[in-house]
Amino acid sequence: MPIMVYIPKNTIDKFSESAAIAIANDVSNIDRSLSLLAKHKMITLKEKKSPYYTIYDITENPKNYKFKEVDFLCWRERMMKQMLS
């Protein structure tokens, strides 16, 4: 399943201190989301020792981001309804 991220162009480095970041609540999407954030140097992760990263693998979170796990299927349906209305 492809990762779906909505971030307005050129704003990933402008996330505010303590911003809430929603991530899908299944292991593969949590892994992908955290890997993407680490790639952009927003967080630092431990060395991967299991197949998937979890929230507990975050070692540095300098801007104190808050991570909210959401039900991906329900969230996607709501977003599509908003986009189509």
Side-chain angles (χ1 to χ4, degrees):
M1 173 185 297
I3 190 168
M4 182 170 74
V5 177
Y6 173 74
I7 301 171
K9 189 175 181 180
N10 300 322
T11 61
I12 197 164
D13 60 337
K14 296 177 186 171
F15 278 23
S16 63
E17 184 91 17
S18 300
I21 299 175
I23 56 177
N25 65 350
D26 63 272
V27 294
S28 63
N29 279 309
I30 291 170
D31 178 80
R32 289 184 221 174
S33 298
L34 295 176
S35 295
L36 180 66
L37 294 168
K39 179 180 176 181
H40 288 279
K41 305 203 183 319
M42 296 173 70
I43 61 171
T44 304
L45 298 168
K46 293 178 188 174
E47 182 179 332
K48 194 180 241 185
K49 294 185 179 180
S50 64
Y52 301 103
Y53 283 121
T54 70
I55 298 296
Y56 302 108
D57 291 318
I58 298 171
T59 57
E60 292 181 36
N61 182 1
K63 289 196 174 184
N64 199 29
Y65 296 122
K66 308 295 182 214
F67 297 96
K68 172 77 173 153
E69 292 183 20
V70 297
D71 183 325
F72 177 71
L73 295 176
C74 292
W75 177 74
R76 185 180 70 175
E77 184 178 328
R78 281 193 306 255
M79 293 300 293
M80 293 303 290
K81 284 180 182 177
Q82 287 178 3
M83 289 171 59
L84 297 174
S85 60

